[in-house]
Amino acid sequence: MSTPEPTHRSGSVAVVGRPNVGKSTLVNALVGAKVSIVSNRPQTTRHRLLGIATFPEGQVALVDTPGLHKQQKRAMNRVMNRAARGALEGVDAALLVIEAGRWDDEDTLACNVLGDAGVPVILVVNKVDRLKEKAALLPFLAQVSEGRKFAAVHPVSALKRNGLQALAKDLLALLPEAPPMFGEDEITDRSSKFLAGELVREQLMRQLGAELPYSTTVEIERFVEEGELLRIGAVIWVEREGQKAIVIGKAGARLKEIGAKSRISMEKLFGRKVFLETWVRVREGWSDDEAALKAFGYE
């Protein structure tokens, strides 16, 4: 009597939550590679992006989304909210990511959006490592679960990769029996050119002041492979001349630092030598201009 083949599950899962709860860190941790940029600033993620997590038992296509937020002051905010909501179309399940010890109106908004989507939802309570009062975790889990239908609740630390094995197991159980959608070595549906632009933008989010990163975007003008070398030309777009001076810095010091750190990240991701050139240009009001956003690749 032959042993039945083990079941393989495969499907897509939306990763949803308010800004800055660690959605991208969670996606990277589950994928086992950096596919989504991270910083400690809200709304670092601006695009819908697929992270492909492959396990012996199955494959999960994780749809990383911009944080759902109430304020929609600019066209950029509206585009990001549309991308987050659009990510729910055709998914098999969803992860609602929240921060341990905190639930606010934007968490409720994200939860309600998922309720309307009609897919099974796992609540992921992230950043449990930062919780000062560990005894407060269980009452908090009971409080946020009350009156809400979650397929499972998982306290995790995406940054320290704690609790992810149990989460992956429950997640795979929600997916249909199906063959893999992607090759075993594939980690994202995005091009290397797109990822290069994101790595430059990550440094802008990390190195600039509180407001300025939201007035910047990155366009890759050149992406050429020369044997083992990648030649990349990146344009950093800002909205005003004064912002250009800030990004460049005194005697070009800040732009040099942004370029150097971006290049190191690119070499790590692409596994090859990178020659990176960066320029800063002005396009007034691009973040509140639907046509400009489309030209820069925003969905």
Side-chain angles (χ1 to χ4, degrees):
M1 196 173 168
S2 61
T3 309
E5 284 287 312
T7 302
H8 186 282
R9 295 183 180 274
S10 180
S12 55
V13 175
V15 183
V16 176
R18 64 172 168 77
N20 217 26
V21 290
K23 296 182 296 297
S24 296
T25 303
L26 178 65
V27 168
N28 290 342
L30 287 167
V31 171
K34 184 171 182 170
V35 293
S36 208
I37 64 168
V38 291
S39 83
N40 59 8
R41 299 198 186 284
Q43 296 169 28
T44 298
T45 301
R46 290 179 180 171
H47 302 267
R48 188 167 38 173
L49 182 147
L50 212 61
I52 302 155
T54 301
F55 306 96
E57 307 81 11
Q59 190 177 74
V60 187
L62 295 154
V63 189
D64 190 14
T65 62
L68 277 163
H69 48 285
K70 284 188 153 185
Q71 290 185 336
Q72 300 189 43
K73 293 176 185 174
R74 299 178 297 175
M76 165 69 81
N77 301 104
R78 296 190 291 275
V79 165
M80 285 162 63
N81 267 355
R82 284 203 299 269
R85 289 172 186 269
L88 296 170
E89 291 172 18
V91 297
D92 300 291
L95 298 178
L96 173 61
V97 187
I98 67 169
E99 190 177 328
R102 178 179 169 186
W103 182 287
D104 63 22
D105 288 348
E106 288 185 317
D107 295 302
T108 303
L109 170 67
C111 190
N112 290 344
V113 166
L114 287 176
D116 295 341
V119 295
V121 177
I122 291 178
L123 179 67
V124 180
V125 183
N126 192 25
K127 305 185 184 182
V128 292
D129 53 306
R130 292 189 187 177
L131 208 59
K132 287 176 183 173
E133 295 293 330
K134 303 299 180 192
L137 182 60
L138 284 177
F140 175 73
L141 297 180
Q143 179 195 335
V144 296
S145 302
E146 193 178 346
R148 299 184 177 103
K149 290 183 179 177
F150 296 120
V153 178
H154 283 272
V156 306
S157 168
L159 189 65
K160 298 193 173 179
R161 303 190 178 213
N162 293 336
L164 300 186
Q165 206 170 349
L167 171 60
K169 187 181 175 185
D170 276 0
L171 191 49
L172 283 163
L174 296 177
L175 302 183
E177 291 184 24
M181 297 178 288
F182 301 93
E184 204 174 310
D185 58 345
E186 289 183 80
I187 57 170
T188 184
D189 64 335
R190 292 290 192 166
S191 67
S192 296
K193 184 178 175 181
F194 171 86
L195 295 173
E198 286 288 272
L199 289 173
V200 177
R201 200 168 61 76
E202 179 178 59
Q203 291 306 318
L204 294 170
M205 297 298 288
R206 290 182 173 189
Q207 295 194 41
L208 297 175
E211 291 302 319
L212 191 53
Y214 301 103
S215 300
T216 63
T217 194
V218 178
E219 184 180 25
I220 300 298
E221 274 197 344
R222 189 172 71 249
F223 193 96
V224 181
E225 297 184 41
E226 292 179 1
E228 287 302 302
L229 179 70
L230 269 179
R231 287 189 181 274
I232 299 173
V235 179
I236 298 166
W237 290 97
V238 296
E239 297 191 298
R240 296 193 300 276
E241 278 294 334
Q243 294 170 342
K244 181 177 177 179
I246 295 168
V247 174
I248 292 170
K250 195 174 180 181
R254 179 172 276 133
L255 185 60
K256 190 176 178 183
E257 176 80 353
I258 289 165
K261 291 195 169 171
S262 301
R263 180 183 55 77
I264 290 165
S265 295
M266 288 177 196
E267 290 181 340
K268 192 175 176 182
L269 181 63
F270 301 137
R272 60 205 301 185
K273 196 81 179 158
V274 171
F275 177 78
L276 174 66
E277 288 183 285
T278 53
W279 303 272
V280 186
R281 295 179 191 153
V282 180
R283 180 162 178 170
E284 287 191 19
W286 70 263
S287 69
D288 203 19
D289 179 343
E290 295 266 1
L293 289 166
K294 198 171 180 181
F296 289 143
Y298 290 94
E299 299 168 26

